[in-house]
């Protein structure tokens, strides 16, 4: 059964790769924004298949939901198409990328096999958690159990911090448009008043009225 | 039964790949919106089949979250293209539409 899901993982990774190349190559910024959302959806699906449900939740909510909307809002401020970049050869960048890739490939054989019960991560404290969680907490997913129960206060603190930060940002930026209306009306009234002296040219009569 | 679910999941992956092709090539904007929305739906179905295949019930929750996010993202994209702004509230949208309709009539 693990063999079968493995092939699905390969399919997801292949699609991730294709999307990443398309994001780099495409000029239409709107298509790029949507491809970013698709990338994060694929990422989250892959996390689900790796049984990291919480990471998948976060990735789906933040990557596919919030960032798509934020990037669309950012697109209001810029052009629709990316300017074509001049074809240049960045040899230094290529060298850095090749070196990093070679180092990663060199490190791969030292990594434990996927799902290895004897690997260091699963052997000592990890095995304790794997054995104790079903007795301590009736949550089937152990990552969720660790996140929301063993280190529950930590998670609560994180959530409070993120909520406060979001609240601060919303208060600073003023989403919702309700504040626009009172601002808009005085501006509409002030605009003709400001234009009138210009059209009538002299500002002196106003001063005289104020003096008298 | 596992084999059947696996073939279903592979079919879903193929459908996702086809949607990706439309998303890359899509000549107009609406092709891409439609392809992205459809891709989200395919992902939801893929996750459901996957949860049946692997016997994990958690994936169903994620699939439901996807459905919600997919909907919100599509609404945001379409609103962006209709009004060039994300700040307009729904009430103002209907009001403006009424005004537009009057102008057209």
């Amino acid at each position: 059964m693990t063999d079968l899901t493995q092939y699905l993982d390969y399919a997801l990774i292949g699609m991730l790769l294709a999307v990443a190349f398309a994001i780099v190559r495409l000029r239409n910024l709107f298509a790029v924004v949507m491809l970013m959302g698709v990338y994060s959806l694929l990422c989250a699906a892959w996390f689900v298949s790796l049984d990291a449900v919480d990471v998948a939740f976060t990735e789906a909510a933040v990557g596919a939901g919030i960032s798509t909307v934020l990037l669309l809002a950012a697109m209001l401020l810029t052009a629709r198409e990316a300017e074509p970049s001049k074809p240049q050869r960045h040899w230094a960048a290529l060298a850095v990328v090749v070196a990093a890739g070679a180092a990663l490939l060199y490190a791969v054989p030292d990594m434990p096999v996927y799902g290895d019960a004897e690997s260091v991560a699963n052997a000592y404290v990890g095995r304790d958690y794997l054995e104790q969680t079903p007795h301590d907490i009736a949550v089937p997913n152990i990552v969720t159990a660790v996140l929301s129960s063993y280190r529950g206060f930590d998670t609560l603190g994180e959530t409070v911090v993120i909520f406060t930060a979001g609240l601060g940002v919303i208060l600073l930026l003023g989403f919702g448009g309700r504040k626009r209306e009172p601002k808009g009306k005085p501006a509409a009234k002030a605009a003709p008043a400001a234009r009138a002296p210009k059209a009538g040219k002299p500002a002196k009569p106003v001063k005289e009225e104020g003096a008298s | 039964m596992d084999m059947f679910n696996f073939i279903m999941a592979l079919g879903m992956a193929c459908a996702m790949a086809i949607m990706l092709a439309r998303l890359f090539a899509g000549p107009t904007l609406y092709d891409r919106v439609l392809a992205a929305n459809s891709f989200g739906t395919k992902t939801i179905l893929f996750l459901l089949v996957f949860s049946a295949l692997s016997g994990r019930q958690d994936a169903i929750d994620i699939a439901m979250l996807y459905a919600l996010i997919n909907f919100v993202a599509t609404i945001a994209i379409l609103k962006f293209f209709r009004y060039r702004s994300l700040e307009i509230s729904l009430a103002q949208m209907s009001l403006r539409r009424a005004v537009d309709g009057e102008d057209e009539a």
Side-chain angles (χ1 to χ4, degrees):
Chain A
M1 201 171 81
T2 45
D3 278 337
L4 293 184
T5 55
Q6 191 184 355
Y7 295 121
L8 295 180
D9 285 352
Y10 294 153
L12 286 177
I13 293 172
M15 279 190 270
L16 273 180
L17 202 65
V19 171
F21 271 109
I23 287 176
V24 173
R25 297 302 301 177
L26 276 180
R27 291 263 167 271
N28 187 344
L29 287 182
F30 173 73
V32 169
V33 168
M34 287 210 301
L35 279 175
M36 301 272 275
V38 164
Y39 186 88
S40 135
L41 270 182
L42 276 172
C43 240
W46 186 37
F47 288 146
V48 170
S49 114
L50 292 179
D51 211 359
V53 187
D54 296 273
V55 188
F57 251 119
T58 314
E59 179 67 38
V62 174
I66 303 282
S67 357
T68 307
V69 176
L70 279 183
L71 284 172
L72 275 179
M75 266 189 65
L76 286 171
L77 304 174
T78 105
R80 288 299 191 73
E81 301 265 325
E83 285 185 12
S85 57
K86 291 167 192 168
Q88 287 173 326
R89 303 258 186 266
H90 298 283
W91 294 113
L94 183 68
V96 168
V97 167
V98 166
L104 286 175
L105 282 179
Y106 175 72
V108 161
D110 287 342
M111 288 181 68
V113 183
Y114 175 61
D116 183 12
E118 297 302 318
S119 71
V120 181
N122 289 338
Y124 305 103
V125 187
R127 179 167 295 162
D128 254 17
Y129 276 113
L130 291 178
E131 283 166 358
Q132 289 303 315
T133 302
H135 305 295
D136 288 352
I137 304 150
V139 174
N141 190 310
I142 290 169
V143 178
T144 310
V146 170
L147 196 71
S148 60
S149 184
Y150 284 119
R151 39 159 288 184
F153 280 114
D154 198 358
T155 307
L156 180 66
E158 275 176 15
T159 319
V160 167
V161 166
I162 292 175
F163 178 72
T164 315
L167 213 60
V169 168
I170 286 175
L171 285 176
L172 276 176
L173 295 181
F175 285 127
R178 194 185 280 176
K179 283 202 171 172
R180 283 282 153 101
E181 288 171 18
K183 263 185 201 172
K185 280 173 188 171
K189 277 180 191 171
R195 264 176 225 152
K198 272 184 193 171
K201 239 185 180 179
K204 283 175 187 174
V206 181
K207 270 187 186 175
E208 285 172 7
E209 277 172 19
S212 64
Chain B
M1 196 59 197
D2 270 354
M3 204 59 210
F4 175 72
N5 279 333
F6 176 67
I7 291 169
M8 290 284 285
L10 264 193
M12 281 303 151
C14 286
M16 284 160 81
I18 293 170
M19 284 302 148
L20 272 189
R22 179 44 70 200
L23 203 55
F24 294 161
T28 71
L29 223 137
Y30 297 100
D31 288 332
R32 289 198 164 114
V33 173
L34 209 56
N37 196 2
S38 186
F39 186 88
T41 312
K42 296 289 184 301
T43 317
I44 294 162
L45 292 174
F46 176 82
L47 280 181
L48 290 176
V49 176
F50 184 86
S51 81
L53 176 63
S54 66
R56 291 182 211 137
Q57 304 296 316
D58 316 346
I60 297 174
D61 297 342
I62 305 273
M64 281 165 64
L65 179 76
Y66 274 22
L68 294 174
I69 283 174
N70 205 13
F71 178 69
V72 170
T74 308
I75 292 288
I77 289 168
L78 292 178
K79 193 175 164 186
F80 170 76
F81 278 103
R82 177 69 178 81
Y83 296 102
R84 300 270 165 231
S85 164
L86 295 173
E87 285 192 6
I88 299 170
S89 66
L90 284 171
Q92 284 167 312
M93 279 167 74
S94 60
L95 195 145
R96 182 177 287 199
R97 196 185 304 139
V99 171
D100 285 353
E102 281 172 17
D103 284 351
E104 282 167 15

